[in-house]
């Protein structure tokens, strides 16, 4: 499927509306995983009905968990307890979803059955050594390809020992993987991260009654605990809201409200970066829902200026860089990103994919090993139509749909099917607030 956009510059419409984007992807995955391991019935609302979270849901069904829904974001998980998962009949296919694979390998490392995890072409080329190595240190028996890629086979029956693991990179997936294996290990397991990353695993495990301590960069738990079923109200995903934050920031006269967005401080780097660039964002209705901060976010147009993005904000905005590159291309002056080499191993090499697309639109942009340098300019100037390759990456596709709002050229964005992994109704919601976007 392709996105075909209009030219936002020739026919400019402000981005106006009051919307709620779909549920948080990270929390949706974890709600199924932890609900399945709890004893009793976990009631979830606001679940993301995107392919990634549905891959996790299907995996737990295949391991014998009864799960009702999703229906209108509601899911009921009939938890089987920490040791109640059953050996699946086939390998577990996890589609495009890195979070499913990296968290599941940790959770399955200590089971008494064997299982193989597979994925699509993109997931099959993503590095898995980062999770397999610490699990092997714990005593897990795991196989992957010789270059450290999926499929991953976890041979059951290993007895795991707790470890103190110093993460070599800022990754919530690696941290979560080790902590989940730690629940099945003898003794204590701790993770220490080089920079703060999203802490949904820690919040949710603690919220469901698993004893977990946190001390600065260190999270620590002991094996053998239990989870208690609960009610989980999933906020709207700030990573999906980010597309609309940038959209309203770059189009004059825009005024958009995004409702009930998760604003966990480990996820709000995008707000801080946009504010440093001059964006006009305001938060209201701030409250805590199910242990996670949420707020309504109002975004009004404001001229943006290029900045040097502080490296400390990079892990706090790691999924938002595709659309932040569009903000940078629409800003006055130069934006410099460093310390973001992790972007090269996401669903695509996001530095390369974004730089290639921006250059096709006539923007001066250059990739560096750990980031990019982007000069603000006129998107699509001198072209009637520009073709962009999304590299099958949902966030690249949506970022260039945002770019079309300030583009002199129409944009054809190829390979947009994967938008459904994180944001199934993106095109319709975008059109409802002023985008000119057709699916073809
Ligand atoms: C996620 C962690 C991040 C993020 C991904 C979801 C999670 O990955 O990019 O979309 O839910 O833990 P890394 O931990 O590899 O940075």
């Amino acid at each position: 499927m392709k996105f075909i956009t209009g030219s936002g510059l020739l026919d400019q419409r402000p981005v106006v509306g009051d919307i709620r984007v779909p549920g948080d992807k990270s929390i949706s995955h974890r709600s199924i995983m932890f609900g399945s391991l709890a004893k009793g019935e976990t009631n979830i609302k606001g679940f993301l009905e995107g392919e990634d979270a549905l891959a996790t849901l299907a995996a737990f069904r295949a391991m014998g968990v009864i799960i009702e829904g999703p229906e209108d974001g509601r899911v009921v998980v009939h938890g089987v307890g920490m040791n109640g998962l059953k050996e699946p009949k086939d390998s577990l296919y996890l589609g495009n979803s890195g979070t499913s694979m990296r968290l599941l390998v940790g959770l399955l490392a200590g089971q008494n059955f064997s299982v193989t995890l597979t994925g699509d072409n993109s997931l099959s080329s993503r590095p898995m050594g980062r999770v397999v190595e610490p699990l092997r240190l714990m005593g897990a028996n795991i196989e992957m390809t010789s270059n450290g890629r999926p499929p991953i086979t976890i041979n059951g029956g290993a007895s795991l020992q707790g470890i103190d693991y110093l993460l070599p990179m800022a990754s919530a997936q690696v941290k979560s993987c080790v902590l989940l294996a730690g629940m099945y290990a003898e003794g204590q397991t701790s993770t220490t991260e080089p920079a703060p990353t999203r802490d949904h695993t820690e919040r949710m495990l603690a919220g469901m009654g698993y004893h977990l301590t946190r001390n600065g960069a260190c999270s620590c738990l002991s094996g053998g605990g239990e989870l208690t079923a609960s009610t989980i109200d999933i906020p709207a995903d700030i990573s999906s809201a980010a597309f609309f934050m940038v959209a309203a920031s770059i189009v004059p006269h825009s005024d958009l409200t995004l409702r009930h967005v998760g604003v966990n401080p480990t996820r709000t780097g995008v707000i801080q970066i946009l504010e440093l660039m001059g964006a006009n964002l305001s938060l209201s209705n701030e409250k805590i829902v199910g242990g996670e901060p949420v707020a309504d976010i109002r975004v009004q147009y404001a001229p943006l200026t290029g900045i040097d993005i502080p490296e400390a904000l990079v892990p706090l905005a790691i999924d938002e860089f595709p659309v932040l590159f569009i903000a940078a291309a629409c800003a006055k002056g130069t934006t410099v990103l460093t310390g973001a080499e992790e972007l090269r191993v996401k669903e695509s090499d996001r530095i390369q994919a974004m730089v290639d697309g921006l250059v096709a639109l006539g923007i001066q942009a250059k990739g560096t090993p750990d980031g990019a340098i982007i000069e603000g300019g006129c998107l699509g100037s001198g072209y009637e139509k520009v073709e962009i390759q999304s590299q099958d990456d949902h966030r690249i596709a949506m970022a260039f749909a945002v770019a079309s709002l300030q583009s002199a050229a129409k944009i054809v964005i190829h390979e947009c099917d994967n938008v459904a992994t994180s944001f199934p109704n993106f095109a319709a919601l975008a059109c409802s607030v002023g985008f000119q976007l057709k699916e073809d």
Side-chain angles (χ1 to χ4, degrees), residues 108-277:
L108 296 174
Q111 307 290 333
N112 58 13
F113 56 82
S114 301
V115 53
T116 297
L117 308 178
T118 65
D120 69 3
N121 286 340
S122 154
L123 183 54
S124 299
S125 61
R126 295 182 68 185
M128 292 297 149
R130 56 177 63 198
V131 284
V132 171
E133 275 161 31
L135 295 174
R136 283 182 178 157
L137 291 176
M138 297 175 82
N141 181 352
I142 302 180
E143 294 158 43
M144 57 183 169
T145 65
S146 56
N147 64 347
R149 267 53 184 176
I152 297 183
T153 295
I154 303 138
N155 296 307
S159 56
L160 304 184
Q161 298 295 320
I163 50 167
D164 294 315
Y165 193 61
L166 186 60
L167 272 76
M169 74 287 285
S171 166
Q173 292 179 350
V174 177
K175 171 178 66 173
S176 301
C177 168
V178 173
L179 290 172
L180 296 185
M183 299 197 300
Y184 291 91
E186 204 182 298
Q188 187 173 290
T189 294
S190 74
T191 54
T192 303
E193 50 188 2
T197 66
R198 66 192 68 196
D199 64 356
H200 307 299
T201 295
E202 294 93 312
R203 283 176 190 249
M204 292 176 75
L205 288 180
M208 294 174 79
Y210 204 102
H211 184 68
L212 179 145
T213 55
R214 299 178 68 183
N215 184 5
C218 180
S219 297
C220 179
L221 53 68
S222 295
E226 287 198 339
L227 289 166
T228 312
S230 84
T231 300
I232 303 175
D233 184 352
I234 302 178
D237 196 330
I238 190 169
S239 298
S240 297
F243 297 102
F244 293 96
M245 291 181 204
V246 173
S249 295
I250 63 175
V251 183
H253 311 297
S254 293
D255 188 350
L256 180 75
T257 299
L258 295 153
R259 297 283 174 194
H260 204 73
V261 182
V263 288
N264 177 318
T266 59
R267 299 285 298 280
T268 47
V270 61
I271 296 179
Q272 287 166 271
I273 292 168
L274 284 173
E275 282 179 338
L276 289 172
M277 297 177 82

Side-chain angles (χ1 to χ4, degrees), residues 24-27 29-30 52 98-99 102-103 126 130 169-176 197-198 200-201 239 267 315 318-319 342 345-347 350 394-395:
D24 189 275
K25 185 153 75 73
S26 294
I27 300 178
H29 283 298
R30 289 162 173 81
D52 278 12
T99 309
R102 296 212 180 103
L103 269 57
R126 295 182 68 185
R130 56 177 63 198
M169 74 287 285
S171 166
Q173 292 179 350
V174 177
K175 171 178 66 173
S176 301
T197 66
R198 66 192 68 196
H200 307 299
T201 295
S239 298
R267 299 285 298 280
I318 194 68
D319 290 339
E342 279 293 305
V345 289
K346 294 293 179 187
E347 286 84 326
R350 287 186 170 159
H394 55 138
R395 298 202 199 278

Side-chain angles (χ1 to χ4, degrees), residues 391-427:
Q391 308 297 343
D392 263 327
D393 183 331
H394 55 138
R395 298 202 199 278
I396 304 297
M398 291 185 276
F400 282 103
V402 173
S404 73
L405 299 170
Q406 272 296 23
S407 167
K410 296 177 179 161
I411 306 181
V412 179
I413 309 163
H414 294 274
E415 302 165 338
C416 295
D417 291 296
N418 278 340
V419 168
T421 60
S422 67
F423 202 153
N425 62 338
F426 171 74

